[in-house]
Amino acid sequence: MDIPQPIISTVDIVLLLIKDERLCVTLSKRDKDPYENQEALPGGYIHAEEDRDCLDAAVRILRQKTGLLPPYLEQLKTFTGAARDPRGWSISVAYFALVDADLILSSANPGLTICPVDALRRLPFDHNEIIAAAVDRIRNKSQYSSLPCYLAGETFSLPRLQKIYEACLGEALHKVSFRRKMDELGVLEAVPGQTESAGAHRPAQMYRLKSEFKNQLKLLVRGL
Amino acid sequence: MDIPQPIISTVDIVLLLIKDERLCVTLSKRDKDPYENQEALPGGYIHAEEDRDCLDAAVRILRQKTGLLPPYLEQLKTFTGAARDPRGWSISVAYFALVDADLILSSANPGLTICPVDALRRLPFDHNEIIAAAVDRIRNKSQYSSLPCYLAGETFSLPRLQKIYEACLGEALHKVSFRRKMDELGVLEAVPGQTESAGAHRPAQMYRLKSEFKNQLKLLVRGL
DNA sequence: CCAAGTTAGTTACAATTTGCAACTAACAAA
DNA sequence: TTTGTTAGTTGCAAATTGTAACTAACTTGG
């Protein structure tokens, strides 16, 4: 009675970045059958012979489609069902990745598009829903963690980081509170001597993630 | 080149409850091949013909194995890979469910065991890891949400609810802070006239979830 | 070289939230 | 009616947060 059925198993990736102070998602032109040539989340089949697990598959697909390994990558949520893919009952394990925009723009990828998450048209499959889940996640985690730092480059000024947080949260933040919170999170360190001159005003001190947080998220949640 | 491979697709459920003021997980005796007769998370194959999606499968499996539909059920995380199941490369979409202990104990299920999450022996597959993810999640959400209310019954006193929160969090809470937080969350309402006499002392007021939160989690996260 | 304009960053303080101790309330049992 | 026990409240100190007003450091234009 309990016989496994063939189910399409894929991985999709929501690669977020900041462009023009807006939260954007990376779309890739589909090169195969369903929805060929349409823009969709970068994704692909799980290769049971090749991938040790889904994270492996996500890394492989990211490298294939974008040519980079983002500094932050975690599982987002799994989307399943008979209705989401015209090929039949499918499972898509969605991943959530953050990257500095400069990395992706510099490694000029032809098939890639960067689109603001609040200006998306209707995408194939349930990809709008997947992106919505990713936006939800970054909104939530931006409230109490240093996650958005992975959207900045190696070094960045606090005013720029604040703009990134504001893009993630979709609301303006108060300067003093923001800086206090960053200080208290304790994940940043000033880069000695390095400043950023961005116009006719005082230059900003540059910061970077402390090395122990380079590949790890520090969650600081307040007690009950 | 990109050919889908047959991958075993299953759903596993972490059904949590409070017994003797401890956070416990529901285990089910396996009736089939790998690890037959061993205790493991209740789970089963996804039935592509029958289940519309994984949540559907989770509900079906819950009904089959426990005979109930918990008041809280959400996707937890997906566990994948070649190493986790002796049958081969597998995907398990894990679900996270909460239930009042009285419900499960009263509907006396033969094949079920209730085991404290901090007293588990080595389980089949990667089920220890899945349970750890569930405990992480309830720990996290217990800090800022009313999630543990789903572990209480229809009505409950605040002292009992506090004990439930403490079991979830693994630490003692201060009475006044706890009650203030519950008040501020605004998800509870006193049941008029109803009190609980639990010994030679003042009886406690009974509360219940406001009806608008019966099947929904209210997340209250503090701003940056 | 100095004044004006602009953004970076700090300080000071009020408002709010939290942790904690000490209280009162309501029951059972002796 | 006194005692013990837990329920629930009150009041205040400590910590955190929001906000305005400040100083700092630069560029540009006279």
Side-chain angles (χ1 to χ4, degrees):
Chain A
M1 38 185 292
D2 262 354
I3 297 158
Q5 298 298 316
I7 288 175
I8 300 159
S9 303
T10 61
V11 163
D12 286 307
I13 294 157
V14 185
L15 177 59
L16 298 177
L17 50 84
I18 301 289
K19 187 181 159 192
D20 301 331
E21 301 191 354
R22 295 174 81 182
L23 186 63
C24 296
V25 63
T26 308
L27 299 177
S28 161
K29 186 160 273 188
R30 286 184 62 79
D31 55 6
K32 272 199 296 292
D33 183 9
Y35 308 106
E36 185 169 352
N37 284 326
Q38 289 191 45
E39 314 253 286
L41 290 177
Y45 289 120
I46 294 168
H47 292 177
E49 336 74 41
E50 185 183 347
D51 306 319
R52 266 180 319 153
D53 55 28
C54 272
L55 182 61
D56 238 37
V59 169
R60 174 177 55 76
I61 289 165
L62 266 167
R63 201 158 31 210
Q64 282 172 4
K65 306 252 176 177
T66 73
L68 52 84
L69 181 59
Y72 189 80
L73 177 62
E74 68 169 4
Q75 193 182 308
L76 174 61
K77 193 182 166 183
T78 298
F79 295 78
T80 61
R84 58 180 300 279
D85 188 317
R87 286 167 291 184
W89 220 104
S90 66
I91 291 182
S92 167
V93 182
Y95 278 79
F96 172 86
L98 302 180
V99 75
D100 172 26
D102 293 340
L103 279 183
I104 212 167
L105 298 176
S106 63
S107 66
N109 287 82
L112 295 182
T113 322
I114 309 296
C115 185
V117 295
D118 53 6
L120 286 168
R121 62 192 163 299
R122 183 93 199 95
L123 298 176
F125 309 106
D126 50 2
H127 285 189
N128 292 86
E129 199 188 332
I130 299 178
I131 293 168
V135 172
D136 269 6
R137 176 157 305 181
I138 201 167
R139 288 252 157 97
N140 258 311
K141 290 201 172 176
S142 295
Q143 295 191 284
Y144 55 83
S145 82
S146 55
L147 193 58
C149 294
Y150 296 102
L151 293 166
E154 271 293 302
T155 68
F156 43 83
S157 67
L158 287 184
R160 190 168 101 81
L161 186 61
Q162 182 175 343
K163 290 256 189 300
I164 291 173
Y165 267 83
E166 289 171 341
C168 292
L169 291 165
E171 64 181 3
L173 298 175
H174 288 276
K175 183 172 55 168
V176 180
S177 302
F178 175 75
R179 299 172 90 99
R180 243 189 320 228
K181 187 66 81 178
M182 280 300 134
D183 186 50
E184 154 189 318
L185 280 172
V187 299
L188 300 184
E189 63 185 2
V191 184
Q194 200 177 335
T195 57
E196 173 191 59
S197 303
H201 54 81
R202 177 174 175 172
Q205 173 64 52
M206 297 298 274
Y207 290 82
R208 63 179 164 225
L209 268 180
K210 287 183 188 167
S211 55
E212 61 261 44
F213 302 111
K214 277 283 175 60
N215 286 301
Q216 186 189 339
L217 170 65
K218 184 172 190 186
L219 290 177
L220 288 184
V221 184
R222 321 204 64 242
L224 197 80
Chain B
M1 37 184 296
D2 262 354
I3 298 160
Q5 297 298 316
I7 287 174
I8 300 160
S9 302
T10 62
V11 163
D12 286 306
I13 294 157
V14 185
L15 177 59
L16 298 177
L17 49 82
I18 300 290
K19 188 181 158 192
D20 302 330
E21 302 190 352
R22 295 174 79 182
L23 185 64
C24 296
V25 64
T26 308
L27 300 176
S28 162
K29 186 161 273 184
R30 286 184 61 80
D31 56 6
K32 274 200 294 295
D33 183 12
Y35 309 107
E36 185 169 353
N37 286 324
Q38 288 192 45
E39 314 253 289
L41 290 177
Y45 290 119
I46 294 168
H47 291 177
E49 334 75 41
E50 185 182 346
D51 306 318
R52 266 183 318 155
D53 54 28
C54 272
L55 182 61
D56 239 35
V59 169
R60 173 177 57 76
I61 289 165
L62 266 167
R63 200 158 32 210
Q64 283 171 4
K65 307 251 175 180
T66 72
L68 52 82
L69 181 59
Y72 189 81
L73 177 63
E74 68 167 6
Q75 192 182 306
L76 174 62
K77 192 182 166 185
T78 298
F79 295 79
T80 60
R84 57 180 300 279
D85 189 316
R87 286 167 290 184
W89 220 103
S90 66
I91 291 183
S92 167
V93 182
Y95 277 80
F96 173 84
L98 302 180
V99 76
D100 172 27
D102 294 340
L103 278 184
I104 211 167
L105 298 176
S106 63
S107 66
N109 284 83
L112 294 184
T113 321
I114 310 296
C115 185
V117 295
D118 51 8
L120 287 168
R121 61 191 165 300
R122 183 93 199 94
L123 298 175
F125 309 105
D126 50 1
H127 286 189
N128 291 87
E129 198 188 333
I130 298 178
I131 293 169
V135 172
D136 267 7
R137 175 159 304 181
I138 201 167
R139 288 251 157 96
N140 258 310
K141 289 200 171 177
S142 295
Q143 295 190 286
Y144 56 84
S145 84
S146 55
L147 193 58
C149 295
Y150 296 102
L151 293 166
E154 271 293 301
T155 68
F156 43 83
S157 67
L158 287 184
R160 188 168 103 77
L161 187 60
Q162 183 175 342
K163 290 257 189 302
I164 292 173
Y165 266 83
E166 288 171 342
C168 291
L169 291 165
E171 64 180 3
L173 298 174
H174 288 275
K175 185 173 52 168
V176 180
S177 301
F178 175 75
R179 299 173 89 97
R180 240 187 324 225
K181 188 66 82 176
M182 278 302 133
D183 187 50
E184 155 188 318
L185 279 172
V187 299
L188 300 184
E189 63 186 0
V191 184
Q194 199 178 334
T195 57
E196 173 191 59
S197 302
H201 54 82
R202 174 173 178 175
Q205 173 65 53
M206 298 299 276
Y207 291 82
R208 64 177 164 229
L209 268 180
K210 287 183 187 166
S211 56
E212 60 259 45
F213 302 112
K214 276 283 176 57
N215 285 299
Q216 186 189 338
L217 170 65
K218 184 173 191 184
L219 289 178
L220 289 185
V221 185
R222 323 204 63 242
L224 196 80

